[in-house]
């Protein structure tokens, strides 16, 4: 098999791939130096020997509207100035609906008798015209066509990804002209195959696709039958989601427009947007009913409702002609849905929802699988069977996991129903027993009356104890809720609102009692550089480490550590004079400096600058002036070189 000759153009029209667009862009930025360092020439190999080399790079020419260029016309000498050379392994074009001509020359140094086929491994291109030409004689040696808008009868091989023969012997050169056209952004990956290897690869691929659609089809009909018999809406939405995955896979593999709806030009043009939006819509509705988001926390319910409305609107919009706005909406919506789906399921998992764990694993599986596919497209991973079919396998694993989750749901509901029946039987037996005791009590009225009074008192005591325990639980829940309302979500120290309230109280107390009050403002040095060089995730971990270190360094329960804003922290030390406040500040500075922050195999140094103000407060001066003094000291510390503590002027 030859190595990859990809022409990668961004595919924002690909709705489901939008889930990983953000990860894709991050990877491209991280790998940009390595990509730029690759050799300019493109080499296609069969196995490990006899290279077939592309001479002088690859050139592109964009055909203007109304030109209707022919192969002989684009080879004319006067057209030479319109060809643009794109050396290297990747050609990225912006949104391009005009026809694009691609030309290159391959030098065959392979063994004699080897037959070569040029395969375009992208089944959703609208028009593909292949020409093998003789530039010196200005003539076309062979021509073939393929694409969604072309009939399948005239194609060399009946397959969604069309191959074209390149006829040249050992030691000869062959010039190739390709005219490619599609409705929006497109990818044109070109691979040169030895003919026998290509047929073997097509057979393996067909078997894999048969297994894929077989598994998805079995899952669909099985869950649809479960809905028919149980009337459980989760099975209905899961069946709809499975159907959307089947339709989406039919589009991206090319089997849909090639075999299923080949006569429908409307579906060929809008299949991407329609089935991508439909798959997100059904996934969101399944997620809603499967995890009972109506009874979940309010913010998860609102997030899900907004997602349902968004994808319903996008699905309706997909019935109309494709626009750039719709493609962008699908891409951004895919990113948001992927992130929110993982967040919601992980949030519910942390809250103890076992079923949410299945959804989180399934959703992360398809995200990782799609990411592997993207890495393969960009050349970061070797194109093997597992890598090429990663997304297809991800869908299979996802559907199996979700089916297991539904089975687990049935099991839990059955267990809950059996428990309710056992409780009902127990209560019925208890009622019968009480009735017998009442009949016996009639024979011994006086003794039974006394016994009844005693039992009544015991029941009152039990109910009173239960009520007391319930009140204690409510109070405990209120305490926990109050704690959450004053805690910063990222760093787990107190938030700015609680800091403002506490500082105001301590400021008034210092003025009233005459005891000193100290305020420390700490700022992480060069925090923006950490974010810019290693990323915002590393920045978040840095904030957590610094917050935990500061909270651990303060020595008294009355001291307060709060996140003041961004990378700034505020420390309130009641009853602390300037000397001791500076000691605490220096202790904090050293503790932060000793943090061993290792991220992605390298240590990132961390330091802080601190501004300190400590004095007995004046009741006639506002708290803002007290904070301003600490802030000026902080700026003084940063101006003096950072990684130090400075006391505010008296």
């Amino acid at each position: 098999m030859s190595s990859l000759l990809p022409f990668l153009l961004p595919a924002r029209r690909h709705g489901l791939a939008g889930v990983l667009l953000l990860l894709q862009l991050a990877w491209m930025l991280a790998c940009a130096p390595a990509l730029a360092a690759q050799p300019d020439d493109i080499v296609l190999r069969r196995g490990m020997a006899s290279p077939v080399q592309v001479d002088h790079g690859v050139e592109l020419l964009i055909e203007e509207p109304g030109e209707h260029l022919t192969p002989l016309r684009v080879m004319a000498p006067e057209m030479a100035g319109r060809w643009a050379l794109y050396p290297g392994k990747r050609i990225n074009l912006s949104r391009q609906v005009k026809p694009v001509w691609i030309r290159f020359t391959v030098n065959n140094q392979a063994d004699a008798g080897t037959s070569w086929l040029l395969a375009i491994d992208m089944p959703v291109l609208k028009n593909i015209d292949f020409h093998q030409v003789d530039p010196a004689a200005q003539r076309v040696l062979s021509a073939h066509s393929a694409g969604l808008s072309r009939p399948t009868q005239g194609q060399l091989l009946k397959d969604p990804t069309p191959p074209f023969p390149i006829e040249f012997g050992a030691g000869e050169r062959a010039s190739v002209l390709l005219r490619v056209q599609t409705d929006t952004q497109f990818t044109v990956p070109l691979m040169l195959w030895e003919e026998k290897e290509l047929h073997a690869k097509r057979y393996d691929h067909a078997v894999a696709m048969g297994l894929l659609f077989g598994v998805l089809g079995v899952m669909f009909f099985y869950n649809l039958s479960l809905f028919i018999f149980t009337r459980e809406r989760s099975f209905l939405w899961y069946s709809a989601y499975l159907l959307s995955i089947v339709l989406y896979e039919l589009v991206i593999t090319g089997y849909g427009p090639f075999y299923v709806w080949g006569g429908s030009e409307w579906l060929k043009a809008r299949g991407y947007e329609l089935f991508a939006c439909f798959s997100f819509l059904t996934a969101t509705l399944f997620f809603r009913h499967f995890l009972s988001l109506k009874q979940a926390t309010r913010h998860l319910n609102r997030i899900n409702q907004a997602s349902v409305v968004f994808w319903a609107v996008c699905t309706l919009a997909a019935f109309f002609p494709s626009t750039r706005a719709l493609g962008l909406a699908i891409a951004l919506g895919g990113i948001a849905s992927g992130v929110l789906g993982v967040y919601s399921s992980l949030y519910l998992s942390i809250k103890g929802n076992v079923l949410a764990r299945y959804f989180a694993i399934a959703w992360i599986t398809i995200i990782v699988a799609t990411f592997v596919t993207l890495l393969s497209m960009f050349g970061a991973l070797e194109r093997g069977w597992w890598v090429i079919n990663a997304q297809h396998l991800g869908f299979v694993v996802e559907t199996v996991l979700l089916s297991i989750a539904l089975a687990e749901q049935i099991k839990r509901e059955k267990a809950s129903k059996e428990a309710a029946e056992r409780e009902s039987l127990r209560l019925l037996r208890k009622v019968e027993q009480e009735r017998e005791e009442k009949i016996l009590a009639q024979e011994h009225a006086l003794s039974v009356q006394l016994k009844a009074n005693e039992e009544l008192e015991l029941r009152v005591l039990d109910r009173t104890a239960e009520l007391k325990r319930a009140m204690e639980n409510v109070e405990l829940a209120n305490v926990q809720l109050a704690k959450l309302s004053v805690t910063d979500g990222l760093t787990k120290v107190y938030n700015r609102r609680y800091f403002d309230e506490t500082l105001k109280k301590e400021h008034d107390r210092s003025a009233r009692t005459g005891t000193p009050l100290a305020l420390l403002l700490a700022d992480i040095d060069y925090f923006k550089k950490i974010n810019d060089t290693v990323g915002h995730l590393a920045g978040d971990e840095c904030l957590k480490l610094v917050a935990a270190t500061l909270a651990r360094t303060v020595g008294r329960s009355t001291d307060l550590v709060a996140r003041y804003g961004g990378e700034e922290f505020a420390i309130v030390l009641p009853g602390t004079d300037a000397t001791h406040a500076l000691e605490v500040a220096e202790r904090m500075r050293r503790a932060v400096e000793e943090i061993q922050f290792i991220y992605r195999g390298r240590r990132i140094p961390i330091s802080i600058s601190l501004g300190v103000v400590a004095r007995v407060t004046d009741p006639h001066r506002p708290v803002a002036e007290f904070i301003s003094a600490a802030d000026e000291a902080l700026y003084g510390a940063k101006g003096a070189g950072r990684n130090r503590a400075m006391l505010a002027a008296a």
Side-chain angles (χ1 to χ4, degrees):
M1 184 185 73
S2 62
S3 60
L4 183 63
L5 173 60
F7 295 86
L8 298 177
L9 291 74
R12 285 177 293 179
R13 187 181 183 188
H14 192 304
L16 199 56
V19 176
L20 288 178
L21 183 59
L22 190 60
L23 296 175
Q24 174 186 348
L25 294 176
W27 179 87
M28 289 175 64
L29 292 175
C31 298
L35 295 177
Q38 293 176 351
D40 288 340
D41 58 321
I42 304 172
V43 178
L44 302 94
R45 298 179 182 273
R46 181 192 64 180
M48 298 297 293
S50 303
V52 178
Q53 185 172 354
V54 175
D55 293 341
H56 309 299
V58 179
E59 295 178 295
L60 301 186
L61 183 150
I62 298 177
E63 182 177 315
E64 296 300 328
E67 278 193 307
H68 303 294
L69 297 178
T70 64
L72 296 179
R73 175 60 178 162
V74 297
M75 287 190 296
E78 60 268 19
M79 300 293 287
R82 292 182 57 181
W83 287 95
L85 179 65
Y86 282 83
K89 301 187 80 172
R90 286 160 180 80
I91 298 176
N92 294 313
L93 301 181
S94 61
R95 175 182 170 88
Q96 183 59 259
V97 296
K98 301 176 183 178
V100 178
W101 288 83
I102 304 171
R103 74 176 180 184
F104 56 90
T105 300
V106 287
N107 182 6
N108 185 6
Q109 300 176 16
D111 300 332
T114 302
S115 298
W116 295 95
L117 291 174
L118 181 69
I120 301 179
D121 198 11
M122 179 55 60
V124 293
L125 298 175
K126 183 178 179 181
N127 293 313
I128 306 171
D129 293 307
F130 170 89
H131 308 277
Q132 184 173 343
V133 299
D134 183 352
Q138 292 287 300
R139 64 192 183 95
V140 177
L141 302 178
S142 63
H144 303 278
S145 63
L148 289 178
S149 64
R150 301 291 175 81
T152 60
Q153 291 80 4
Q155 294 189 15
L156 178 66
L157 182 65
K158 190 175 182 181
D159 193 273
T161 54
F164 303 104
I166 298 182
E167 301 172 358
F168 61 150
E172 297 180 354
R173 286 179 170 80
S175 297
V176 175
L177 277 176
L178 288 171
R179 183 181 184 271
V180 182
Q181 183 180 13
T182 188
D183 293 329
T184 180
Q185 291 98 340
F186 59 93
T187 302
V188 186
L190 303 180
M191 298 186 67
L192 196 61
W193 294 80
E194 195 273 329
E195 185 175 3
K196 294 180 180 179
E197 291 185 64
L198 177 61
H199 288 298
K201 180 258 183 187
R202 299 293 192 198
Y203 176 79
D204 293 341
H205 181 72
V207 172
M209 291 301 99
L211 292 174
L212 169 68
F213 289 113
V215 171
L216 294 178
V218 168
M219 289 291 184
F220 167 72
F221 287 109
Y222 172 70
N223 285 277
L224 184 61
S225 64
L226 287 178
F227 165 71
I228 294 173
F229 288 110
T230 65
R231 295 299 175 181
E232 172 59 43
R233 296 178 68 183
S234 295
F235 291 110
L236 174 62
W237 291 119
Y238 186 52
S239 300
Y241 178 50
L242 287 170
L243 178 61
S244 70
I245 292 178
V246 171
L247 294 173
Y248 174 76
E249 283 288 333
L250 286 172
V251 171
I252 65 173
T253 58
Y255 286 102
F258 204 81
Y259 292 106
V260 182
W261 56 80
S264 175
E265 297 298 327
W266 184 85
L267 271 179
K268 289 181 180 180
R270 296 175 177 80
Y272 268 114
E273 290 87 350
L274 180 60
F275 296 140
C277 294
F278 182 57
S279 63
F280 275 113
L281 177 61
T282 53
T284 305
L285 289 169
F286 168 66
F287 183 52
R288 178 176 186 81
H289 290 87
F290 177 61
L291 297 180
S292 301
L293 292 185
K294 286 185 178 180
Q295 289 76 39
T297 56
R298 181 179 299 178
H299 79 283
L300 292 184
N301 186 33
R302 290 181 176 176
I303 288 173
N304 185 266
Q305 287 176 334
S307 298
V308 170
V309 173
F310 175 81
W311 288 115
V313 172
C314 288
T315 302
L316 292 175
F319 282 90
F320 299 95
S322 176
T323 63
R324 188 183 186 91
L326 177 60
L328 182 61
I330 294 174
L332 297 179
I335 296 172
S337 293
V339 172
L340 293 175
V342 173
Y343 163 74
S344 301
S345 55
L346 291 179
Y347 180 89
L348 293 174
S349 299
I350 294 173
K351 295 297 183 181
N353 190 327
V354 178
L355 299 177
R357 298 174 189 173
Y358 288 97
F359 189 90
I361 296 173
W363 200 243
I364 292 173
T365 297
I366 188 60
I367 289 177
V368 172
T370 306
F371 187 45
V372 169
T373 301
L374 291 174
L375 290 178
S376 171
M377 290 176 62
F378 278 91
L381 294 177
E382 186 68 25
R383 287 178 62 90
W385 188 91
W386 293 99
V387 175
I388 295 173
N389 295 285
Q391 190 179 55
H392 307 313
L393 295 173
F395 277 126
V396 173
V397 174
E398 180 198 25
T399 55
V400 171
L401 287 173
L402 292 179
S403 296
I404 294 174
L406 284 170
E408 178 71 17
Q409 184 187 42
I410 295 175
K411 177 183 176 182
R412 289 176 174 272
E413 290 178 352
K414 181 179 179 181
S416 176
K417 184 178 180 180
E418 291 176 351
E421 290 176 352
R422 288 194 298 269
E423 180 66 16
S424 176
L425 181 59
R426 187 187 68 82
L427 292 176
L428 180 60
R429 290 175 179 175
K430 183 178 180 181
V431 170
E432 292 177 352
Q433 182 180 0
E434 291 178 350
R435 182 180 302 169
E436 292 176 358
E437 292 175 353
K438 184 177 180 180
I439 294 174
L440 293 175
Q442 291 177 354
E443 299 176 358
H444 307 281
L446 185 59
S447 58
V448 171
Q449 184 65 40
L450 179 60
K451 185 178 180 179
N453 290 338
E454 292 176 354
E455 291 181 356
L456 181 60
E457 290 177 0
L458 289 175
R459 290 184 181 181
V460 170
L461 290 176
D462 290 341
R463 297 297 184 268
T464 304
E466 290 178 1
L467 181 60
K468 183 178 179 181
R469 287 195 296 270
M471 293 299 295
E472 290 175 351
N473 290 336
V474 171
E475 291 178 0
L476 180 61
N478 289 334
V479 170
Q480 294 295 329
L481 183 60
K483 183 177 180 180
L484 288 175
S485 67
V486 299
T487 302
D488 179 65
L490 176 64
T491 61
K492 306 307 179 184
V493 297
Y494 289 107
N495 57 24
R496 174 66 179 274
R497 180 171 66 84
Y498 187 72
F499 161 75
D500 291 336
E501 295 174 356
T502 302
L503 182 61
K504 181 65 170 64
K505 292 178 182 177
E506 296 299 336
H507 188 274
D508 295 342
R509 181 181 298 170
S510 174
R512 186 173 63 254
T513 61
T515 57
L517 173 65
L519 172 63
L520 284 62
L521 288 183
D523 184 84
I524 301 176
D525 298 328
Y526 305 110
F527 182 74
K528 185 177 183 299
K529 183 178 179 181
I530 295 176
N531 274 338
D532 293 341
T533 55
V534 295
H536 290 279
L537 293 178
D540 290 346
E541 290 300 320
C542 175
L543 289 172
K544 293 177 184 178
L545 287 173
V546 172
T549 302
L550 296 179
R552 187 173 60 252
T553 305
V554 296
R556 302 175 303 176
S557 60
T558 56
D559 298 338
L560 178 139
V561 177
R563 187 178 180 186
Y564 189 69
E567 67 271 22
E568 285 189 287
F569 296 88
I571 302 93
V572 180
L573 306 175
T576 304
D577 57 21
T579 301
H580 289 89
L582 278 175
E583 291 178 358
V584 173
E586 183 61 23
R587 188 163 66 245
M588 289 181 172
R589 185 195 66 79
R590 289 196 303 270
V592 171
E593 191 176 29
E594 294 172 357
I595 293 175
Q596 296 295 321
F597 183 27
I598 307 299
Y599 190 80
R600 292 186 178 178
R602 66 168 182 168
R603 182 180 183 273
I604 300 174
I606 307 175
S607 64
I608 60 173
S609 301
L610 299 101
V612 183
V613 59
R615 59 175 177 247
V616 177
T617 61
D618 187 342
H620 301 294
R621 294 189 176 183
V623 178
E625 183 178 324
F626 193 69
I627 298 175
S628 178
D631 195 47
E632 291 178 2
L634 172 61
Y635 276 97
K638 296 178 78 68
R642 293 183 170 85
N643 194 16
R644 65 191 64 215
M646 182 172 290
L647 182 66

